Amino acid sequence: MKFRTLFAASLAAFAVSASAQTHLEGAEYYKADQLDNAKELLLRNLNNSGTDKAIANYYLGQIAVDENKLDEAQKYFEAGVQANPGYGYNYIGLGGLALKKGDKKAADEQFKKGEGLIKKDAAAEIAIARAYYDADPVLYAKEIEKKVAKARKINLQAPEIYIFEGDQEKDKKNWGGAAGKYEMAKSYNANATEAYVKYANLYTQVNPQYAITMLKELLSVNPSSALGQRELANAYYNKKDFSDAAREYGVYVNNPNHFKQDEDRYALLLFSSSEFQKGYDYASKLLAENPGNFTARRFQFMNAANIPAMKEQLVPMAEELLAAHNANPAANKFAPIDFTLIAEEFTNAKRTDEAINVLNEAMKEMPENASFNKQLAMTYLEANNFSGASDAFETYIAKLEKPDFNDFSQQATFSFYAGVENKQDNPAKAEDYFKKAYDYATKMEAALPGNYKPYKIYGDIAMQRAASDAEVKTAAFPMYSEAASLLEKSEDTSKYARDAKNIYNYLGNYYLDQKDVAKAKENFNKYLQYDPDNESYRKFVEGLKE
């Protein structure tokens, strides 16, 4: 039977039953230039019922030639001959191998054997032309031309002719010419899967939608093609259409000929598409099949962290994931999100020391990632450790290309409270933090002139530095007065209510001490603008006598 006819018959059989895994699936990938995937499928299905070992060994031999493993190729071609001496393509493979070794005479003898067995098949002539082309397209230009001409004479509509010519155009970077040839190939044979895939691959990066249209056309002809399903999913992925990519991967991973590594991408896409329950269920399924599947464990936890109903299960899951990572950090690597989510769950569980340990490892592994330092600062804050928060956040700021007003404000606040925290037990350390708070407040002032907040911080620091309670009552007055003046110029003061109340209460008491009741009441009433329901405060103000 001619190889092309055999190929078409096998393809039809595959379309009927995707579970009939044979040599055909690997051949599809080989013809689409995906050698590693082709090799995996051919070896996976080599001993399956229905696999033609002569054909499978031919493709395995061709892959070995492409990998420059010539001794391995020899073994595959010879195994193919032994499986079926009447299958001519393994002789063509041996001929191509002889060309690689520089023995044209031996090559021509093998080609004749192949041609004699296949007889008048355009695909066989193109296979020989490819062998010459792969060996040396310049040296064997005449031989290539003769074989292509012979193929045309046998069958002008053979898709292999146009796919080969398309590959030659692609090698010349003539993308339009290559696309035209692949278009002709599929028009002559709608089952030429590789023509669709090669055509789509020309456009998948620059015009993914064009590639998607072509691959949908392929799947309309051969809906069970794992190659077509995978390429369509990847085309959506390249388009950054992650929801559709997840949908197509969902179809593909249920094909018996999917690749295990693609399960990871499907899990990632479900998470990226916010399909958390579906992602959790899929990762759980993979874990049930293989409890050692570290990637599945990662995605199970990541998805669970976004499912409110699973809140109570997150800490044990975090513990299991961290234990798997610690058991073999080199093999079971974490991404930033793993460190972040695990630390977050430990923090929520009031296991701050463990959260800090996780974040310290994260910073050691990925020192350029500033977000870990920020999270560490917030973790210290959760534990009321302002010194730790100040130190961690300062490192975070140092890693930023361009810190802004809010960054400086946060750091000034942390440093101020770190100073308060250390004031009694370590006055010198406290003063260092107060200086730091003051420095960052000046940076705030430069970053956003006219904002009240730096002056509020200056005043806070002045009160902490005051030597007595009496001095506290006057230390912040100049700074708080300026803060109040700037605050009153703000368009939206409601979000500053807490600071405003502190400022006006302080100023009111200052003026009260100065026996200036009118000024005191003016500031106390400004306080009440931010706390109108405070009846006891209001009665206090109303009771003041000028």
Side-chain angles (χ1 to χ4, degrees), residues 451-479:
N451 188 277
Y452 82 94
K453 186 74 172 180
Y455 291 93
K456 167 70 167 57
I457 294 172
Y458 296 149
D460 293 342
I461 296 169
M463 282 192 283
Q464 290 297 324
R465 284 172 168 168
S468 65
D469 289 345
E471 191 177 329
V472 167
K473 293 180 179 180
T474 60
F477 177 74
M479 291 75 86

Coordinates of all heavy atoms in Angstrom, one line a residue, residues 451-479:
N451 N 1.7 69.4 51.2 CA 1.0 68.4 51.9 C 1.3 68.6 53.4 O 2.4 68.9 53.8 CB 1.4 67.0 51.5 CG 0.5 65.9 52.1 OD1 0.7 65.5 53.2 ND2 -0.4 65.5 51.3
Y452 N 0.2 68.4 54.2 CA 0.3 68.7 55.7 C 1.2 67.6 56.4 O 1.7 67.9 57.5 CB -1.1 68.7 56.3 CG -1.6 67.3 56.6 CD1 -1.4 66.8 57.8 CD2 -2.2 66.6 55.6 CE1 -1.9 65.5 58.1 CE2 -2.7 65.3 55.8 CZ -2.5 64.8 57.1 OH -3.0 63.5 57.3
K453 N 1.2 66.4 55.9 CA 1.7 65.2 56.6 C 3.1 65.4 57.1 O 3.4 65.0 58.3 CB 1.6 64.0 55.7 CG 1.9 62.7 56.5 CD 0.8 62.3 57.4 CE 1.1 60.9 58.0 NZ 0.0 60.5 58.9
P454 N 4.1 65.9 56.3 CA 5.4 66.0 56.9 C 5.5 66.8 58.2 O 6.2 66.5 59.1 CB 6.2 66.7 55.7 CG 5.5 66.3 54.5 CD 4.0 66.3 54.9
Y455 N 4.7 67.9 58.2 CA 4.7 68.8 59.4 C 4.1 68.1 60.6 O 4.5 68.3 61.7 CB 4.0 70.1 59.0 CG 4.8 70.9 58.1 CD1 4.6 70.8 56.7 CD2 5.8 71.8 58.5 CE1 5.3 71.6 55.8 CE2 6.6 72.5 57.6 CZ 6.3 72.4 56.2 OH 7.1 73.1 55.3
K456 N 3.1 67.3 60.3 CA 2.5 66.5 61.4 C 3.6 65.6 62.0 O 3.7 65.5 63.2 CB 1.3 65.7 60.8 CG 0.8 64.6 61.8 CD 0.1 65.1 63.0 CE -0.7 64.0 63.7 NZ 0.0 62.9 64.2
I457 N 4.4 65.0 61.1 CA 5.4 64.1 61.6 C 6.5 64.8 62.4 O 7.0 64.4 63.4 CB 6.0 63.2 60.5 CG1 4.9 62.3 59.9 CG2 7.3 62.4 60.9 CD1 5.3 61.6 58.6
Y458 N 6.9 66.0 61.8 CA 7.9 66.8 62.5 C 7.4 67.1 63.9 O 8.2 67.1 64.9 CB 8.1 68.2 61.8 CG 8.7 68.1 60.4 CD1 8.3 69.0 59.4 CD2 9.6 67.1 60.1 CE1 8.9 69.0 58.2 CE2 10.1 67.0 58.8 CZ 9.8 68.0 57.8 OH 10.3 67.9 56.6
G459 N 6.1 67.5 64.1 CA 5.5 67.8 65.4 C 5.5 66.6 66.3 O 5.8 66.7 67.5
D460 N 5.2 65.4 65.7 CA 5.2 64.2 66.5 C 6.6 63.9 67.1 O 6.7 63.5 68.3 CB 4.7 63.0 65.7 CG 3.3 63.1 65.3 OD1 2.5 63.9 65.9 OD2 2.9 62.4 64.3
I461 N 7.6 64.1 66.3 CA 9.0 63.8 66.7 C 9.4 64.8 67.8 O 10.0 64.4 68.8 CB 9.9 63.9 65.5 CG1 9.6 62.8 64.5 CG2 11.4 63.8 66.0 CD1 10.3 62.9 63.1
A462 N 9.0 66.1 67.6 CA 9.3 67.1 68.6 C 8.7 66.8 69.9 O 9.4 67.0 71.0 CB 8.8 68.4 68.1
M463 N 7.5 66.3 70.0 CA 6.9 65.9 71.2 C 7.7 64.7 71.9 O 7.8 64.7 73.1 CB 5.4 65.5 71.0 CG 4.5 66.7 70.9 SD 2.8 66.3 71.0 CE 2.5 65.6 69.3
Q464 N 8.1 63.8 71.1 CA 8.8 62.6 71.7 C 10.2 63.0 72.2 O 10.7 62.4 73.1 CB 9.0 61.5 70.6 CG 7.7 60.8 70.2 CD 7.1 60.1 71.4 OE1 7.8 59.5 72.2 NE2 5.7 60.1 71.5
R465 N 10.7 64.1 71.6 CA 12.1 64.5 72.0 C 12.0 65.5 73.2 O 13.0 65.8 73.8 CB 12.8 65.2 70.9 CG 13.3 64.3 69.8 CD 13.8 65.0 68.6 NE 14.7 64.2 67.7 CZ 15.0 64.5 66.5 NH1 14.7 65.7 66.0 NH2 15.8 63.7 65.8
A466 N 10.8 65.9 73.5 CA 10.6 66.9 74.6 C 11.1 66.3 75.9 O 10.9 65.1 76.2 CB 9.2 67.3 74.7
A467 N 11.7 67.2 76.8 CA 12.3 66.7 78.0 C 11.3 66.6 79.1 O 11.6 65.9 80.2 CB 13.5 67.7 78.4
S468 N 10.2 67.2 79.0 CA 9.2 67.1 80.1 C 7.8 67.2 79.6 O 7.6 67.6 78.4 CB 9.4 68.3 81.1 OG 9.2 69.5 80.4
D469 N 6.8 66.9 80.4 CA 5.4 67.0 80.0 C 5.1 68.4 79.6 O 4.3 68.7 78.7 CB 4.5 66.5 81.1 CG 4.6 65.0 81.3 OD1 5.2 64.3 80.4 OD2 4.2 64.5 82.4
A470 N 5.6 69.4 80.4 CA 5.3 70.8 80.1 C 5.9 71.2 78.7 O 5.2 71.9 77.9 CB 6.0 71.7 81.1
E471 N 7.0 70.6 78.3 CA 7.6 70.9 77.0 C 6.8 70.3 75.9 O 6.7 70.8 74.8 CB 9.1 70.5 77.0 CG 9.8 71.0 75.8 CD 11.3 70.6 75.8 OE1 11.9 70.5 76.9 OE2 11.9 70.4 74.7
V472 N 6.3 69.1 76.2 CA 5.5 68.4 75.2 C 4.3 69.3 74.7 O 4.0 69.3 73.5 CB 4.9 67.1 75.8 CG1 3.8 66.5 74.9 CG2 6.0 66.1 76.0
K473 N 3.7 70.1 75.7 CA 2.6 70.9 75.3 C 2.9 72.0 74.3 O 2.0 72.6 73.7 CB 2.0 71.5 76.6 CG 1.4 70.5 77.6 CD 0.9 71.2 78.8 CE 0.2 70.1 79.7 NZ -0.3 70.8 81.0
T474 N 4.2 72.4 74.2 CA 4.5 73.5 73.3 C 5.4 73.0 72.1 O 5.6 73.7 71.1 CB 5.2 74.6 74.0 OG1 6.4 74.0 74.6 CG2 4.4 75.2 75.1
A475 N 6.0 71.8 72.2 CA 7.1 71.4 71.3 C 6.6 71.3 69.9 O 7.3 71.6 68.9 CB 7.7 70.0 71.7
A476 N 5.3 70.8 69.7 CA 4.9 70.6 68.3 C 4.1 71.8 67.7 O 3.7 71.7 66.6 CB 3.9 69.4 68.3
F477 N 3.9 72.9 68.5 CA 3.1 74.0 68.1 C 3.4 74.5 66.7 O 2.6 74.7 65.8 CB 3.0 75.1 69.1 CG 2.2 76.2 68.7 CD1 0.8 76.2 68.7 CD2 2.8 77.4 68.3 CE1 0.1 77.3 68.3 CE2 2.1 78.5 67.8 CZ 0.7 78.4 67.8
P478 N 4.7 74.9 66.4 CA 5.0 75.5 65.1 C 4.7 74.6 64.0 O 4.1 75.0 62.9 CB 6.5 75.8 65.2 CG 6.8 75.8 66.6 CD 5.9 74.8 67.3
M479 N 5.1 73.3 64.2 CA 4.9 72.3 63.1 C 3.4 72.0 62.9 O 2.9 71.9 61.7 CB 5.7 71.1 63.4 CG 7.2 71.2 63.3 SD 7.9 72.1 64.7 CE 8.1 70.8 65.8

